[in-house]
PDB file of all heavy atoms in Angstrom:
ATOM      1  N   ILE A  41     -27.492  60.278-162.761  1.00  0.00           N
ATOM      2  CA  ILE A  41     -26.510  59.523-161.993  1.00  0.00           C
ATOM      3  C   ILE A  41     -27.221  58.744-160.878  1.00  0.00           C
ATOM      4  O   ILE A  41     -28.350  59.065-160.485  1.00  0.00           O
ATOM      5  CB  ILE A  41     -25.398  60.422-161.417  1.00  0.00           C
ATOM      6  CG1 ILE A  41     -25.963  61.467-160.449  1.00  0.00           C
ATOM      7  CG2 ILE A  41     -24.598  61.074-162.539  1.00  0.00           C
ATOM      8  CD1 ILE A  41     -24.892  62.269-159.702  1.00  0.00           C
ATOM      9  N   TYR A  42     -26.543  57.730-160.378  1.00  0.00           N
ATOM     10  CA  TYR A  42     -27.095  56.882-159.330  1.00  0.00           C
ATOM     11  C   TYR A  42     -27.451  57.691-158.076  1.00  0.00           C
ATOM     12  O   TYR A  42     -28.484  57.457-157.449  1.00  0.00           O
ATOM     13  CB  TYR A  42     -26.107  55.759-159.005  1.00  0.00           C
ATOM     14  CG  TYR A  42     -26.598  54.797-157.959  1.00  0.00           C
ATOM     15  CD1 TYR A  42     -27.798  54.106-158.105  1.00  0.00           C
ATOM     16  CD2 TYR A  42     -25.852  54.567-156.808  1.00  0.00           C
ATOM     17  CE1 TYR A  42     -28.239  53.215-157.139  1.00  0.00           C
ATOM     18  CE2 TYR A  42     -26.284  53.676-155.838  1.00  0.00           C
ATOM     19  CZ  TYR A  42     -27.486  53.010-156.004  1.00  0.00           C
ATOM     20  OH  TYR A  42     -27.921  52.129-155.043  1.00  0.00           O
ATOM     21  N   GLY A  43     -26.632  58.659-157.711  1.00  0.00           N
ATOM     22  CA  GLY A  43     -26.930  59.511-156.558  1.00  0.00           C
ATOM     23  C   GLY A  43     -28.252  60.237-156.721  1.00  0.00           C
ATOM     24  O   GLY A  43     -29.030  60.365-155.771  1.00  0.00           O
ATOM     25  N   GLN A  44     -28.542  60.717-157.936  1.00  0.00           N
ATOM     26  CA  GLN A  44     -29.815  61.398-158.188  1.00  0.00           C
ATOM     27  C   GLN A  44     -30.979  60.417-158.075  1.00  0.00           C
ATOM     28  O   GLN A  44     -32.033  60.747-157.539  1.00  0.00           O
ATOM     29  CB  GLN A  44     -29.816  62.068-159.561  1.00  0.00           C
ATOM     30  CG  GLN A  44     -31.071  62.878-159.838  1.00  0.00           C
ATOM     31  CD  GLN A  44     -31.256  63.997-158.815  1.00  0.00           C
ATOM     32  OE1 GLN A  44     -30.363  64.811-158.611  1.00  0.00           O
ATOM     33  NE2 GLN A  44     -32.407  64.039-158.167  1.00  0.00           N
ATOM     34  N   LYS A  45     -30.776  59.202-158.553  1.00  0.00           N
ATOM     35  CA  LYS A  45     -31.815  58.172-158.435  1.00  0.00           C
ATOM     36  C   LYS A  45     -32.125  57.904-156.960  1.00  0.00           C
ATOM     37  O   LYS A  45     -33.293  57.810-156.575  1.00  0.00           O
ATOM     38  CB  LYS A  45     -31.370  56.885-159.126  1.00  0.00           C
ATOM     39  CG  LYS A  45     -32.375  55.758-159.013  1.00  0.00           C
ATOM     40  CD  LYS A  45     -31.866  54.484-159.656  1.00  0.00           C
ATOM     41  CE  LYS A  45     -32.881  53.355-159.427  1.00  0.00           C
ATOM     42  NZ  LYS A  45     -32.357  52.065-159.831  1.00  0.00           N
ATOM     43  N   LEU A  46     -31.089  57.813-156.134  1.00  0.00           N
ATOM     44  CA  LEU A  46     -31.299  57.590-154.700  1.00  0.00           C
ATOM     45  C   LEU A  46     -32.037  58.761-154.049  1.00  0.00           C
ATOM     46  O   LEU A  46     -32.931  58.561-153.216  1.00  0.00           O
ATOM     47  CB  LEU A  46     -29.966  57.347-153.990  1.00  0.00           C
ATOM     48  CG  LEU A  46     -29.237  56.055-154.345  1.00  0.00           C
ATOM     49  CD1 LEU A  46     -27.872  56.009-153.660  1.00  0.00           C
ATOM     50  CD2 LEU A  46     -30.072  54.836-153.987  1.00  0.00           C
ATOM     51  N   ALA A  47     -31.689  59.980-154.438  1.00  0.00           N
ATOM     52  CA  ALA A  47     -32.379  61.159-153.898  1.00  0.00           C
ATOM     53  C   ALA A  47     -33.855  61.147-154.304  1.00  0.00           C
ATOM     54  O   ALA A  47     -34.742  61.399-153.474  1.00  0.00           O
ATOM     55  CB  ALA A  47     -31.697  62.437-154.377  1.00  0.00           C
ATOM     56  N   ASP A  48     -34.124  60.833-155.570  1.00  0.00           N
ATOM     57  CA  ASP A  48     -35.510  60.786-156.052  1.00  0.00           C
ATOM     58  C   ASP A  48     -36.310  59.698-155.332  1.00  0.00           C
ATOM     59  O   ASP A  48     -37.469  59.911-154.955  1.00  0.00           O
ATOM     60  CB  ASP A  48     -35.548  60.548-157.566  1.00  0.00           C
ATOM     61  CG  ASP A  48     -34.983  61.717-158.361  1.00  0.00           C
ATOM     62  OD1 ASP A  48     -34.858  62.833-157.814  1.00  0.00           O
ATOM     63  OD2 ASP A  48     -34.663  61.502-159.549  1.00  0.00           O
ATOM     64  N   GLU A  49     -35.695  58.537-155.130  1.00  0.00           N
ATOM     65  CA  GLU A  49     -36.371  57.441-154.423  1.00  0.00           C
ATOM     66  C   GLU A  49     -36.670  57.817-152.968  1.00  0.00           C
ATOM     67  O   GLU A  49     -37.752  57.506-152.447  1.00  0.00           O
ATOM     68  CB  GLU A  49     -35.516  56.166-154.460  1.00  0.00           C
ATOM     69  CG  GLU A  49     -35.438  55.521-155.817  1.00  0.00           C
ATOM     70  CD  GLU A  49     -34.464  54.356-155.888  1.00  0.00           C
ATOM     71  OE1 GLU A  49     -33.725  54.083-154.913  1.00  0.00           O
ATOM     72  OE2 GLU A  49     -34.440  53.697-156.946  1.00  0.00           O
ATOM     73  N   THR A  50     -35.727  58.491-152.334  1.00  0.00           N
ATOM     74  CA  THR A  50     -35.934  58.912-150.948  1.00  0.00           C
ATOM     75  C   THR A  50     -37.100  59.889-150.853  1.00  0.00           C
ATOM     76  O   THR A  50     -37.958  59.758-149.969  1.00  0.00           O
ATOM     77  CB  THR A  50     -34.649  59.548-150.376  1.00  0.00           C
ATOM     78  OG1 THR A  50     -33.590  58.584-150.424  1.00  0.00           O
ATOM     79  CG2 THR A  50     -34.851  60.016-148.940  1.00  0.00           C
ATOM     80  N   MET A  51     -37.152  60.845-151.748  1.00  0.00           N
ATOM     81  CA  MET A  51     -38.250  61.821-151.729  1.00  0.00           C
ATOM     82  C   MET A  51     -39.592  61.129-151.971  1.00  0.00           C
ATOM     83  O   MET A  51     -40.581  61.450-151.312  1.00  0.00           O
ATOM     84  CB  MET A  51     -38.016  62.920-152.764  1.00  0.00           C
ATOM     85  CG  MET A  51     -36.916  63.888-152.390  1.00  0.00           C
ATOM     86  SD  MET A  51     -37.172  64.745-150.812  1.00  0.00           S
ATOM     87  CE  MET A  51     -38.642  65.704-151.179  1.00  0.00           C
ATOM     88  N   ALA A  52     -39.631  60.187-152.887  1.00  0.00           N
ATOM     89  CA  ALA A  52     -40.884  59.481-153.189  1.00  0.00           C
ATOM     90  C   ALA A  52     -41.367  58.661-151.993  1.00  0.00           C
ATOM     91  O   ALA A  52     -42.571  58.554-151.756  1.00  0.00           O
ATOM     92  CB  ALA A  52     -40.700  58.587-154.416  1.00  0.00           C
ATOM     93  N   ALA A  53     -40.434  58.110-151.228  1.00  0.00           N
ATOM     94  CA  ALA A  53     -40.793  57.249-150.101  1.00  0.00           C
ATOM     95  C   ALA A  53     -41.054  58.020-148.805  1.00  0.00           C
ATOM     96  O   ALA A  53     -41.599  57.457-147.865  1.00  0.00           O
ATOM     97  CB  ALA A  53     -39.674  56.237-149.862  1.00  0.00           C
ATOM     98  N   HIS A  54     -40.681  59.302-148.776  1.00  0.00           N
ATOM     99  CA  HIS A  54     -40.798  60.075-147.534  1.00  0.00           C
ATOM    100  C   HIS A  54     -41.448  61.440-147.792  1.00  0.00           C
ATOM    101  O   HIS A  54     -40.755  62.457-147.873  1.00  0.00           O
ATOM    102  CB  HIS A  54     -39.421  60.232-146.880  1.00  0.00           C
ATOM    103  CG  HIS A  54     -38.852  58.939-146.440  1.00  0.00           C
ATOM    104  ND1 HIS A  54     -39.217  58.333-145.257  1.00  0.00           N
ATOM    105  CD2 HIS A  54     -37.981  58.101-147.043  1.00  0.00           C
ATOM    106  CE1 HIS A  54     -38.584  57.183-145.142  1.00  0.00           C
ATOM    107  NE2 HIS A  54     -37.833  57.010-146.216  1.00  0.00           N
ATOM    108  N   PRO A  55     -42.770  61.476-147.863  1.00  0.00           N
ATOM    109  CA  PRO A  55     -43.466  62.742-148.140  1.00  0.00           C
ATOM    110  C   PRO A  55     -43.299  63.782-147.034  1.00  0.00           C
ATOM    111  O   PRO A  55     -43.579  64.964-147.263  1.00  0.00           O
ATOM    112  CB  PRO A  55     -44.932  62.312-148.287  1.00  0.00           C
ATOM    113  CG  PRO A  55     -45.037  61.006-147.598  1.00  0.00           C
ATOM    114  CD  PRO A  55     -43.682  60.359-147.722  1.00  0.00           C
ATOM    115  N   GLU A  56     -42.820  63.374-145.867  1.00  0.00           N
ATOM    116  CA  GLU A  56     -42.586  64.327-144.783  1.00  0.00           C
ATOM    117  C   GLU A  56     -41.357  65.208-145.049  1.00  0.00           C
ATOM    118  O   GLU A  56     -41.173  66.246-144.421  1.00  0.00           O
ATOM    119  CB  GLU A  56     -42.439  63.595-143.442  1.00  0.00           C
ATOM    120  CG  GLU A  56     -41.148  62.814-143.260  1.00  0.00           C
ATOM    121  CD  GLU A  56     -41.122  61.404-143.865  1.00  0.00           C
ATOM    122  OE1 GLU A  56     -41.987  61.072-144.699  1.00  0.00           O
ATOM    123  OE2 GLU A  56     -40.219  60.639-143.516  1.00  0.00           O
ATOM    124  N   LEU A  57     -40.522  64.786-146.011  1.00  0.00           N
ATOM    125  CA  LEU A  57     -39.322  65.561-146.335  1.00  0.00           C
ATOM    126  C   LEU A  57     -39.643  66.702-147.295  1.00  0.00           C
ATOM    127  O   LEU A  57     -40.436  66.550-148.218  1.00  0.00           O
ATOM    128  CB  LEU A  57     -38.255  64.674-146.973  1.00  0.00           C
ATOM    129  CG  LEU A  57     -37.551  63.674-146.072  1.00  0.00           C
ATOM    130  CD1 LEU A  57     -36.606  62.799-146.905  1.00  0.00           C
ATOM    131  CD2 LEU A  57     -36.786  64.374-144.959  1.00  0.00           C
ATOM    132  N   LEU A  58     -38.984  67.810-147.067  1.00  0.00           N
ATOM    133  CA  LEU A  58     -39.019  68.925-148.005  1.00  0.00           C
ATOM    134  C   LEU A  58     -37.935  68.719-149.055  1.00  0.00           C
ATOM    135  O   LEU A  58     -38.129  69.006-150.233  1.00  0.00           O
ATOM    136  CB  LEU A  58     -38.794  70.247-147.266  1.00  0.00           C
ATOM    137  CG  LEU A  58     -38.732  71.508-148.093  1.00  0.00           C
ATOM    138  CD1 LEU A  58     -40.076  71.765-148.753  1.00  0.00           C
ATOM    139  CD2 LEU A  58     -38.337  72.691-147.232  1.00  0.00           C
ATOM    140  N   SER A  59     -36.777  68.187-148.602  1.00  0.00           N
ATOM    141  CA  SER A  59     -35.680  67.962-149.547  1.00  0.00           C
ATOM    142  C   SER A  59     -34.653  67.005-148.974  1.00  0.00           C
ATOM    143  O   SER A  59     -34.578  66.787-147.767  1.00  0.00           O
ATOM    144  CB  SER A  59     -34.990  69.287-149.902  1.00  0.00           C
ATOM    145  OG  SER A  59     -34.353  69.840-148.761  1.00  0.00           O
ATOM    146  N   ILE A  60     -33.864  66.468-149.894  1.00  0.00           N
ATOM    147  CA  ILE A  60     -32.641  65.726-149.586  1.00  0.00           C
ATOM    148  C   ILE A  60     -31.615  66.191-150.603  1.00  0.00           C
ATOM    149  O   ILE A  60     -31.939  66.379-151.786  1.00  0.00           O
ATOM    150  CB  ILE A  60     -32.818  64.188-149.678  1.00  0.00           C
ATOM    151  CG1 ILE A  60     -31.475  63.473-149.441  1.00  0.00           C
ATOM    152  CG2 ILE A  60     -33.449  63.780-150.979  1.00  0.00           C
ATOM    153  CD1 ILE A  60     -31.552  61.949-149.469  1.00  0.00           C
ATOM    154  N   THR A  61     -30.391  66.424-150.142  1.00  0.00           N
ATOM    155  CA  THR A  61     -29.320  66.773-151.071  1.00  0.00           C
ATOM    156  C   THR A  61     -28.066  65.987-150.706  1.00  0.00           C
ATOM    157  O   THR A  61     -27.804  65.721-149.527  1.00  0.00           O
ATOM    158  CB  THR A  61     -29.017  68.292-151.073  1.00  0.00           C
ATOM    159  OG1 THR A  61     -28.705  68.727-149.750  1.00  0.00           O
ATOM    160  CG2 THR A  61     -30.210  69.082-151.601  1.00  0.00           C
ATOM    161  N   LEU A  62     -27.316  65.601-151.732  1.00  0.00           N
ATOM    162  CA  LEU A  62     -26.064  64.865-151.571  1.00  0.00           C
ATOM    163  C   LEU A  62     -24.917  65.761-152.031  1.00  0.00           C
ATOM    164  O   LEU A  62     -24.998  66.380-153.098  1.00  0.00           O
ATOM    165  CB  LEU A  62     -26.083  63.575-152.400  1.00  0.00           C
ATOM    166  CG  LEU A  62     -27.278  62.640-152.195  1.00  0.00           C
ATOM    167  CD1 LEU A  62     -27.146  61.396-153.075  1.00  0.00           C
ATOM    168  CD2 LEU A  62     -27.458  62.267-150.745  1.00  0.00           C
ATOM    169  N   HIS A  63     -23.866  65.796-151.230  1.00  0.00           N
ATOM    170  CA  HIS A  63     -22.755  66.715-151.482  1.00  0.00           C
ATOM    171  C   HIS A  63     -21.419  66.001-151.377  1.00  0.00           C
ATOM    172  O   HIS A  63     -21.272  65.057-150.607  1.00  0.00           O
ATOM    173  CB  HIS A  63     -22.751  67.840-150.435  1.00  0.00           C
ATOM    174  CG  HIS A  63     -24.004  68.633-150.368  1.00  0.00           C
ATOM    175  ND1 HIS A  63     -24.072  69.938-150.773  1.00  0.00           N
ATOM    176  CD2 HIS A  63     -25.244  68.316-149.926  1.00  0.00           C
ATOM    177  CE1 HIS A  63     -25.311  70.393-150.577  1.00  0.00           C
ATOM    178  NE2 HIS A  63     -26.032  69.418-150.061  1.00  0.00           N
ATOM    179  N   GLY A  64     -20.450  66.523-152.111  1.00  0.00           N
ATOM    180  CA  GLY A  64     -19.086  66.013-152.041  1.00  0.00           C
ATOM    181  C   GLY A  64     -18.266  66.558-153.196  1.00  0.00           C
ATOM    182  O   GLY A  64     -18.694  67.478-153.895  1.00  0.00           O
ATOM    183  N   VAL A  65     -17.102  65.980-153.378  1.00  0.00           N
ATOM    184  CA  VAL A  65     -16.202  66.363-154.468  1.00  0.00           C
ATOM    185  C   VAL A  65     -16.367  65.331-155.581  1.00  0.00           C
ATOM    186  O   VAL A  65     -16.091  64.150-155.374  1.00  0.00           O
ATOM    187  CB  VAL A  65     -14.742  66.415-153.991  1.00  0.00           C
ATOM    188  CG1 VAL A  65     -13.801  66.750-155.155  1.00  0.00           C
ATOM    189  CG2 VAL A  65     -14.576  67.432-152.868  1.00  0.00           C
TER     190      VAL A  65
END
Side-chain angles (χ1 to χ4, degrees):
I41 62 172
Y42 182 57
Q44 184 60 54
K45 178 183 176 189
L46 293 175
D48 293 343
E49 289 173 354
T50 300
M51 288 302 295
H54 295 279
E56 72 277 16
L57 289 175
L58 177 65
S59 65
I60 176 178
T61 56
L62 307 181
H63 302 249
V65 177

